[in-house]
Amino acid sequence: MNKGMDKIDIYNNSAIILNKKTPKKIISWITILFILLILFVILSFIPFRIYKTFYGYINQDYGYITFQLDSSDFPIDKSDKMYIKNKTYEYEVVEIKNNQVTIKSEIDENLYINNNIIRANFLKCRTTLFEIIRNKIKKGIDL
């Protein structure tokens, strides 16, 4: 131990304790944690889109596509836009029957092959990280 430090008493030598500097490692860690906290708060309020991918097949009628869905996937017609191979197509729901949705859409000619299986992405919702965390907490405490 240092020679003058062994006799420090918090009641008699409080000036020495108050003037003691905080180590640089602690200041660095506090700064890094503070910056990460600010970045997390900013990023948690930036909205992003969640897409749902479905596989469907093209019917014999021109422009009709049938998708097999679960009951949790309904409704799919929130935005009336689907994405096939990074191209946007408008669609209209024609029929919903036995967890199958038939839509009508004007797709490219090279995709239109009878009984061709295609992969389409539908916009499920637009949300933020904060809303996802809040919903998980609500589910956890049954609100």
Side-chain angles (χ1 to χ4, degrees), residues 7 11 20-21 46 67-68 79 114 137:
K7 294 191 176 193
Y11 301 108
K20 189 176 177 185
K21 296 204 176 203
I46 294 176
F67 294 98
Q68 182 74 28
S79 68
N114 195 16
I137 290 173

Side-chain angles (χ1 to χ4, degrees), residues 5 11 70 75 86 94 104 106 114-115 129:
M5 299 296 277
Y11 301 108
D70 294 331
N86 295 329
V94 176
K104 181 176 182 171
E106 299 290 325
N114 195 16
N115 292 327
L129 186 62

Side-chain angles (χ1 to χ4, degrees), residues 19-125:
N19 290 333
K20 189 176 177 185
K21 296 204 176 203
T22 308
K24 292 189 182 217
K25 284 185 177 181
I26 293 175
I27 293 174
S28 299
W29 276 106
I30 291 173
T31 305
I32 290 171
L33 289 175
F34 185 70
I35 289 172
L36 289 174
L37 178 69
I38 289 174
L39 282 173
F40 177 73
V41 169
I42 290 172
L43 292 176
S44 65
F45 290 104
I46 294 176
F48 60 93
R49 294 181 174 111
I50 296 177
Y51 294 96
K52 186 83 176 183
T53 302
F54 297 107
Y55 290 95
Y57 63 92
I58 298 176
N59 294 344
Q60 293 175 351
D61 301 328
Y62 180 77
Y64 289 94
I65 306 169
T66 302
F67 294 98
Q68 182 74 28
L69 303 178
D70 294 331
S71 60
S72 64
D73 296 328
F74 291 105
I76 62 163
D77 56 348
K78 287 184 179 178
S79 68
D80 294 338
K81 290 184 182 170
M82 73 174 162
Y83 303 91
I84 301 173
K85 295 186 178 180
N86 295 329
K87 287 181 103 178
T88 305
Y89 298 101
E90 303 248 342
Y91 71 91
E92 178 184 336
V93 176
V94 176
E95 180 181 34
I96 299 174
K97 183 171 134 183
N98 296 332
N99 287 348
Q100 288 187 342
V101 174
T102 303
I103 64 170
K104 181 176 182 171
S105 179
E106 299 290 325
I107 59 174
D108 289 341
E109 291 292 326
N110 60 352
L111 295 174
Y112 187 73
I113 301 171
N114 195 16
N115 292 327
N116 185 21
I117 296 177
I118 60 170
R119 185 178 74 176
N121 297 319
F122 292 90
L123 179 64
K124 187 173 180 183
C125 64

